[in-house]
Amino acid sequence: MAAPIQSLLNEICASEDPIEELKTLRTAVFSTPVSGLRQAVSGARLEIIFGLLNTNDKEQIEVCVEILSRFLQALEPIQLAQNYKTALQSGLSHPDDSVKVLTLTQIGRVAAHADGVTQMLNSTEILCDVIQCISVERIAVAKEAIAALSKLSNTKAGLDALFRSDLLNKLKDVMLTNDIIRYRVYELIVEVSSVSPVSLGYCANSSLISQLLEELTGDDILVRATAIEMVTSLAQSQHGRQYLAQQGIMDKISNMIIAAESDAFSSLYLPGLVKFFGSLAIVDSPQQVCEKYPVFLEVVFSMAMNLDPTLTPVALDTLGVLGGTVEGKQVLHKTGEKFTSVLKRISKAASDGATELRVRCLEALAQLLTLPAIGCQPWGQQLMMDTPGFLEWVMDRSVGTGKEAKDCKFELVGALLSSSSAQEIFGAHNYLKLKTYLNEGPYYINAVSSVTTEGAD
């Protein structure tokens, strides 16, 4: 396929109005596997296609972008950096968004490759152009720019290049454009800070993270909600949580939950505060978070009981996430009647609430009631012991002879014996029989002896 593609490129080069030839090339390129394109692209003159992007003809630009996206996909990142650095840099300033997105996507590929980063970023010009793309009003371009810069921060060479380019000061200038740009800059700062303690240290030395944290208690409710979302993302990394704890952010958010009770606009940001602590409980410890910040669980219970269409879904999701772990179940159980009341409220809503609410309630209940092995729980073992014939059935190898049944029985016996309460509940005799069953394995077959008598039929 290499020869026909090269021939088509020659025809395009010789044509004054190459749109039809471009369409033919597009068909040839997309009908060739990427592995086959690698051979074709090595000798192809892609600068011809890059050159044809310099037009006001939207159709021609569209076809060229499709061809290039397919061709460039076949190239290794190091080849992109070595052979098409100038073309990619030109694409960053192209007036058409599709060209910018194509260029940023390819720069992102290079950014994720250590050798490619070194090749492309020996000057800061491309970085400056990528940063400027964040301030573009079109969200697709801005998102791709943020993605490319985030990938850069994943390698030491890329991270060094970002800060050699005076990234933080450039971002400060960009974020003054408008609130949408400010949100994107915060998003990038959190992405970069989350990569490693080193990258967080770079960002912490600027005023950008401090500025983000100040937004938590700002006058603009919508910006406050955005800041909470960003801080929640930062808390997903261990070094991010440590930094936030050092800055007193957990206490600040706890106080915000308390103050929300008297704020008429709290429904706009309270779900975000609850999500912050819910997320923190999962990555850290449900018990530690709920004991240190009791207002978190109190407001979750209140939101679940009130059945507010804005707040209740978040409360249900949070309870489900908390109750999805054994430790979380124990935390909820310790609240006694408070949680019992909430559970009854959820159960009622699951039966007679609106469809969407019923689904959320059922999902929460499923997580709250699910355990990895009920057999480990003393109450579960007692119920089994109180069920006539249950233990005999479990240990009777003549029933449930299929592989799946044998595996399930063996797993159950293992779970029962893993608990310190098993011997007391089942008694010494049954306990020894269960241990024998476990030692024999899931597929043990009782040997049957037979004696042949002389003269017998």
Side-chain angles (χ1 to χ4, degrees):
M1 186 59 72
I5 287 178
Q6 188 63 53
S7 175
L8 286 169
L9 284 168
N10 291 334
E11 290 179 24
I12 290 169
C13 189
S15 175
E16 293 185 4
D17 185 17
I19 188 64
E20 293 306 321
E21 288 84 353
L22 282 169
K23 290 179 179 178
T24 303
L25 176 61
R26 178 177 62 184
T27 301
V29 167
F30 277 88
S31 62
T32 305
V34 172
S35 57
L37 274 180
R38 288 196 180 96
Q39 181 184 358
V41 80
S42 61
R45 297 161 59 193
L46 293 189
E47 63 272 10
I48 296 171
I49 309 299
F50 277 110
L52 290 174
L53 290 171
N54 299 318
T55 179
N56 293 324
D57 188 326
K58 296 287 290 184
E59 185 181 22
Q60 181 169 309
I61 291 173
E62 179 185 345
V63 177
C64 286
V65 165
E66 290 174 349
I67 291 170
L68 286 171
S69 65
R70 181 74 172 169
F71 262 131
L72 298 179
Q73 186 183 352
L75 289 172
E76 294 297 326
I78 191 68
Q79 293 175 290
L80 281 170
Q82 290 173 339
N83 302 327
Y84 298 103
K85 178 179 175 181
T86 303
L88 291 175
Q89 187 168 358
S90 298
L92 291 174
S93 56
H94 197 282
D96 191 283
D97 284 357
S98 65
V99 179
K100 282 192 174 80
V101 170
L102 167 70
T103 304
L104 289 165
T105 300
Q106 299 306 318
I107 290 175
R109 288 183 61 211
V110 174
H113 191 281
D115 293 334
V117 169
T118 304
Q119 286 282 337
M120 182 167 279
L121 302 180
N122 51 20
S123 71
T124 60
E125 296 172 2
I126 288 183
L127 274 179
C128 293
D129 290 341
V130 172
I131 292 167
Q132 286 303 314
C133 285
I134 298 176
S135 63
V136 172
E137 293 294 336
R138 275 78 68 193
I139 193 166
V141 175
K143 277 189 172 181
E144 208 62 50
I146 288 172
L149 290 171
S150 298
K151 288 176 183 174
L152 271 174
S153 64
N154 284 314
T155 64
K156 186 180 184 305
L159 192 61
D160 290 342
L162 284 175
F163 292 102
R164 277 202 314 272
S165 70
D166 200 19
L167 170 74
L168 299 178
N169 284 329
K170 289 184 173 68
L171 289 176
K172 289 178 190 176
D173 294 337
V174 166
M175 74 186 299
L176 296 175
T177 312
N178 58 42
D179 285 343
I180 296 175
I181 304 305
R182 181 166 47 158
Y183 173 86
R184 292 172 188 165
V185 171
Y186 284 148
E187 186 179 41
L188 175 60
I189 288 297
V190 169
E191 287 263 5
V192 173
S193 298
S194 297
V195 171
S196 68
V198 173
S199 60
L200 174 59
Y202 275 122
C203 295
N205 289 332
S206 76
S207 62
L208 285 172
I209 290 189
S210 300
Q211 190 171 330
L212 168 61
L213 298 180
E214 288 171 5
E215 303 274 24
L216 287 171
T217 51
D219 295 331
D220 191 320
I221 300 297
L222 294 179
V223 173
R224 190 187 302 180
T226 296
I228 293 166
E229 184 182 337
M230 295 293 102
V231 171
T232 300
S233 296
L234 184 57
Q236 296 307 298
S237 64
Q238 184 177 3
H239 62 274
R241 291 194 298 279
Q242 289 174 343
Y243 175 80
L244 293 174
Q246 290 165 3
Q247 302 301 311
I249 298 304
M250 282 70 165
D251 292 328
K252 178 179 283 190
I253 292 179
S254 178
N255 291 332
M256 289 173 67
I257 291 178
I258 296 171
E261 186 177 352
S262 58
D263 186 351
F265 298 100
S266 63
S267 62
L268 295 174
Y269 62 85
L270 186 56
L273 300 177
V274 169
K275 285 179 182 178
F276 173 81
F277 277 119
S279 175
L280 199 64
I282 295 309
V283 295
D284 237 340
S285 160
Q287 183 172 340
Q288 289 180 18
V289 170
C290 292
E291 289 182 356
K292 190 170 184 180
Y293 307 101
V295 68
F296 158 59
L297 210 50
E298 288 174 14
V299 78
V300 170
F301 285 172
S302 175
M303 289 162 64
M305 292 295 288
N306 291 336
L307 296 184
D308 184 305
T310 304
L311 302 177
T312 299
V314 176
L316 292 171
D317 291 348
T318 304
L319 287 170
V321 167
L322 277 176
T325 65
V326 173
E327 183 181 332
K329 286 178 171 64
Q330 292 169 340
V331 169
L332 294 171
H333 178 68
K334 285 180 183 177
T335 64
E337 285 301 319
K338 289 183 179 179
F339 179 60
T340 302
S341 299
V342 170
L343 203 56
K344 289 178 180 177
R345 184 67 159 162
I346 295 174
S347 299
K348 188 175 187 307
S351 63
D352 58 17
T355 302
E356 185 178 348
L357 179 62
R358 288 165 65 187
V359 170
R360 288 300 251 283
C361 288
L362 289 170
E363 288 175 346
L365 288 171
Q367 289 177 290
L368 288 166
L369 298 176
T370 298
L371 281 170
I374 292 175
C376 300
Q377 308 298 315
W379 60 267
Q381 294 172 355
Q382 191 62 58
L383 285 172
M384 294 177 199
M385 186 62 186
D386 293 343
T387 302
F390 182 80
L391 273 186
E392 290 78 4
W393 176 83
V394 169
M395 293 184 285
D396 186 352
R397 293 185 183 272
S398 66
V399 294
T401 55
K403 181 181 184 302
E404 186 177 1
K406 289 180 179 180
D407 288 340
C408 287
K409 279 189 172 186
F410 185 76
E411 188 176 350
L412 172 59
V413 172
L416 294 174
L417 293 175
S418 69
S419 170
S420 59
S421 60
Q423 186 167 358
E424 179 184 351
I425 292 174
F426 296 121
H429 179 67
N430 286 325
Y431 183 77
L432 287 174
K433 290 178 71 175
L434 287 168
K435 285 195 73 171
T436 301
Y437 187 101
L438 191 69
N439 291 335
E440 291 173 344
Y443 310 119
Y444 177 79
I445 299 175
N446 292 316
V448 178
S449 299
S450 61
V451 178
T452 303
T453 305
E454 186 178 353
D457 292 334

